Amino acid sequence: MAAIPALVTASTKLHNTTGLTDESHDCQIRDHVAYCRNLLSTKALSSISRDESVLDPHDRTLIQDGILSSISFFSVCKSKPSRKRPMEHCLGIYYPRGRLWSKAVRYLETFNPVQIRYAGQEFRQLIEYPLLATRPIREAILRLDPSCAVFTSTHLLFVQLCLRAKAYACALPVLDKHVCHFPAPSSRASSKSSLALCAKHESGLSFITDSSALSATLTYKDYLLYFLYGGMIYMALKEWRKAFHFLGVVISMPTVGSISMVMVEAYKKWVLVGLLANGKLSSPPNNTPSHLVKLYQSIAKPYVSLAQAFERGEMQTLVAEVDAARDIWIMDRNMGLVSQVVNTFSAHALVRLRKTFAALTVAEVLEQVPHLPADPIATESVIAPLIMSGAMNATLVHSPSHTSDTMLRLSGKPFFSQVSHESHMQVRFRKEGQLMTALMGSLEETNRAMALSDEFVDASSKGQAWTTASEVNQGVGDDFGLDMDEDIMGG
Amino acid sequence: MELPPLSTAQLEQLAASNLPPSQLFEILSRYESDACLMVADSGHPDASGGDPQLLSLFYSSFFFAHLLTNQVPEARALTQRMPETLRHQDPSLQNCLTLLRAVWQTQHAQVYETLRNLPWPEPLYPLVRRYESFFQDRTLIAVSTSYEAIRPAVAAAYLGLDSQAAEKGDQSIIQKFTDCGWTWSPESQLLHPVPITVPSTEEQPSTGIRDAMAMLGSRAS
């Protein structure tokens, strides 16, 4: 245990960065990483790796040392089972009731976000430990890269856990941020920026790279699943428009040849969510290849038929479609969504009245939308919540006499409501503005990365080669022409 | 920020405090893992291990924190995350489920009935009263923007007031509405609401829609 003071001394030196350039600090941290990894892997000091007191939250120096605590933590985590420490014990201490649970949670909330960039492998293995809860993982993701713009394997793990734990709102701080990048290949990251890892980076793209190991190797399926699960979380929260957007990302993913089952799954949900959000069968995003649209429509035919019946306003056909394909909805686990579609049929029919009428009495509404309760008071109790929730832009006007019908005015809200609407729009504009600024930053980052990437340079040089070749060919062609002419002339 | 351990006293203090709903929600959400640990201590995730009264108070308080922050679908998810046995057996959590159903279905009368007449544990009273007031305020704002003219009995029902007295023209009830700027027409016996505008908490002083449009213009250029 005498080694612990040595570790603390080494760690203290690391904290003293006054007067150091980023490059010197970077070298110092890299040396420290090597030192820690070496120290904790030696047999003589293996006792440290098994000593949970290394992670004692009261020892601020160790805990604040992101590298040491990460590596120590992982060393403790990966301690092998033995006769004295059977597998159940090794795993059990990381379960919520285990001794290391609170230390793990505390660690994820307090680690040094700069130093952790040097210990990506240990960090990821700790965070991907399947027994840790959603909230600490969320805090760790946001602590590592507050913009969340770089997609990592932890993003997928996190949304999966949120979905499984039914902790939907917990996922929003991550889901609401736009994913703009994948971890850059290390060659690109090193060429595009000479900044040291510990320097101040404008974007996580500079330090979340292939070589940082902060993300596992990603496949296109990971990306699809992230957006599918994200869409399902928004569906659970009834944020239909956001769900629609997330599922739209999945279905418009470029593919070569075969279509992924994840995309088909997403398309089925996308059709139903589109009905709930917009009341109609929407067109797929513009960037969806036409052959994919045809494939989707043939594979998910019952969904398309259901949507067409909904769009035509035919309640009986809709119910018949639901009954006919009940087994399919159940098998696809979309029965809940289908039920919600049926339940919102009347609401969307009411909203559509606005296209034709400026005002009508509740009795006239009953004639137009026949599936509402026959009693005008009950009908009013269906219409009023729609207006109150903002789903329907209308007002109700009671008449002086109880015998007269209530009037439904669809010609827009009065002035004061518009003022309120305007103030809400201002807030939305401001939010959108901030979002656009963030997106523009990410776009610039992407442009810069693409311009300096090996692929771009290769493509550019190929392009130049093609240009040169075509220029040469053109010349050759001209020569051929001349030859021909000459031959003809000669002939 | 370190939180004191989860305890009945701590929950009582939180319920009685006048913390903004978002802060209350944040603090209680940080206690959820502690509550899960207590449940897990019983050895079975569906059992109500630990202290059932403490767990009941925690989950009920957390449920109200969801409603106070207007997170109704997430409140429903919370009821699915609760230990099943506790949810089925605890009267306070059963009341929460009844309330959730009424809020979900926008049955105003049922919401007031549940909040006022069901037996809630005493430490939870401040949150129950707070939610009643919150629900009334939200409904008043919604009615003011949804009706151009409304009969007093209907308006009273929305706000959990005495509908019958309102129908008979009870002046104290009419006055509650006129105090909000609504006008009362004795001839037609109708209230004319004035839409209540609530500035968003994120809203900053602005010179109006022009600023927003200018902002959009600068984005476009």
Side-chain angles (χ1 to χ4, degrees), chain A residues 117 149 151 217:
Chain A
R117 295 171 192 169
F151 181 67
T217 307

Side-chain angles (χ1 to χ4, degrees), chain A residues 135 166 395-396 398 409 431, chain B residues 26 30 81 146 148-149:
Chain A
R135 194 182 161 88
K166 296 186 195 300
T395 49
L396 286 162
H398 278 171
R409 280 165 55 110
K431 278 185 183 170
Chain B
E26 177 62 21
R30 289 176 66 183
R81 296 202 297 266
S146 306
E148 289 180 48

Side-chain angles (χ1 to χ4, degrees), chain A residues 105-329:
Chain A
V105 169
R106 184 181 170 78
Y107 172 70
L108 290 176
E109 287 173 350
T110 55
F111 68 81
N112 183 320
V114 174
Q115 293 185 1
I116 204 69
R117 295 171 192 169
Y118 294 82
Q121 191 184 352
E122 286 81 3
F123 173 75
R124 186 162 54 79
Q125 284 179 294
L126 171 62
I127 212 170
E128 290 183 1
Y129 213 87
L131 308 172
L132 290 180
T134 52
R135 194 182 161 88
I137 296 179
R138 181 188 74 185
E139 298 307 315
I141 292 174
L142 293 170
R143 196 170 171 80
L144 178 69
D145 175 20
S147 74
C148 265
V150 185
F151 181 67
T152 66
S153 51
T154 316
H155 282 67
L156 176 60
L157 170 83
F158 172 65
V159 290
Q160 271 176 324
L161 283 178
C162 287
L163 205 56
R164 198 179 298 170
K166 296 186 195 300
Y168 308 119
C170 179
L172 294 185
V174 171
L175 282 181
D176 283 343
K177 292 201 160 64
H178 284 257
V179 167
C180 300
H181 311 285
F182 291 106
S186 44
S187 58
R188 185 196 301 175
S190 57
S191 65
K192 72 187 271 301
S193 164
S194 57
L195 284 179
L197 273 183
C198 57
K200 192 179 175 187
H201 293 268
E202 282 181 13
S203 154
L205 190 61
S206 317
F207 58 85
I208 303 177
T209 60
D210 280 356
S211 60
S212 72
L214 287 163
S215 170
T217 307
L218 294 166
T219 64
Y220 82 101
K221 194 179 167 191
D222 294 330
Y223 183 74
L224 291 179
L225 284 175
Y226 174 75
F227 281 95
L228 175 66
Y229 294 152
M232 288 165 74
I233 286 174
Y234 281 129
M235 277 154 52
L237 293 171
K238 307 218 176 291
E239 295 202 27
W240 303 120
R241 289 190 189 282
K242 287 182 180 175
F244 189 66
H245 169 69
F246 263 57
L247 297 171
V249 171
V250 182
I251 66 168
S252 58
M253 177 87 169
T255 59
V256 179
S258 60
I259 189 169
S260 158
M261 280 308 289
V262 180
M263 293 167 80
V264 175
E265 179 89 2
Y267 181 78
K268 291 172 178 175
K269 292 188 195 303
W270 178 84
V271 169
L272 298 175
V273 170
L275 293 177
L276 290 162
N278 310 317
K280 61 177 185 182
L281 177 60
S282 310
S283 306
N286 288 339
N287 53 338
T288 315
S290 55
H291 74 278
L292 275 191
V293 178
K294 283 178 190 162
L295 265 176
Y296 285 140
Q297 287 175 346
S298 65
I299 294 174
K301 207 166 183 179
Y303 289 84
V304 176
S305 305
L306 180 86
Q308 285 167 343
F310 186 97
E311 207 171 10
R312 287 195 299 268
E314 297 168 357
M315 183 63 167
Q316 285 176 340
T317 318
L318 180 72
V319 172
E321 292 284 354
V322 171
D323 288 339
R326 189 169 292 274
D327 290 345
I328 293 172
W329 320 132

Side-chain angles (χ1 to χ4, degrees), chain A residues 95-97 101 106 109 133 135 138-139 165-170 172 236-238 380-381 384-385 387-389 394-402 404 406 409 412-414 416-417 419-427 429-434 436-437 440, chain B residues 2 25-26 29-30 33-34 37 40-43 71 73-74 76-78 80-81 104 106 108 139 142-151 154 158 167 187-190 194-200 202-209 211-213 215-216 219:
Chain A
Y95 276 103
R97 281 170 295 156
W101 161 262
R106 184 181 170 78
E109 287 173 350
R135 194 182 161 88
R138 181 188 74 185
E139 298 307 315
K166 296 186 195 300
Y168 308 119
C170 179
L172 294 185
L237 293 171
K238 307 218 176 291
E380 189 181 323
S381 70
I387 302 175
M388 288 186 190
S389 68
T395 49
L396 286 162
V397 189
H398 278 171
S399 59
S401 161
H402 281 271
S404 305
T406 300
R409 280 165 55 110
K413 296 240 176 189
F416 282 112
S417 290
V419 171
S420 167
H421 180 68
E422 181 185 311
S423 72
H424 281 97
M425 284 303 285
Q426 281 182 24
V427 175
F429 281 146
R430 195 165 289 114
K431 278 185 183 170
E432 294 289 329
Q434 287 164 353
M436 288 290 283
T437 308
M440 287 304 289
Chain B
E2 283 289 318
F25 177 82
E26 177 62 21
S29 63
R30 289 176 66 183
S33 57
D34 293 350
L37 293 184
D41 278 339
S42 69
Q71 299 186 71
E74 184 64 15
R76 183 167 176 242
L78 174 71
Q80 293 166 346
R81 296 202 297 266
W104 193 275
T106 55
H108 293 82
T139 308
V143 171
S144 78
T145 54
S146 306
Y147 282 87
E148 289 180 48
I150 186 168
R151 282 191 282 274
V154 178
Y158 274 125
E167 196 165 7
E187 299 80 33
S188 61
Q189 295 284 300
L190 287 174
V194 172
I196 301 168
T197 56
V198 183
S200 162
E202 294 166 62
E203 198 173 342
Q204 290 162 5
S206 162
T207 49
I209 197 78
D211 285 355
M213 295 311 289
M215 190 169 71
L216 276 183
R219 296 268 165 254

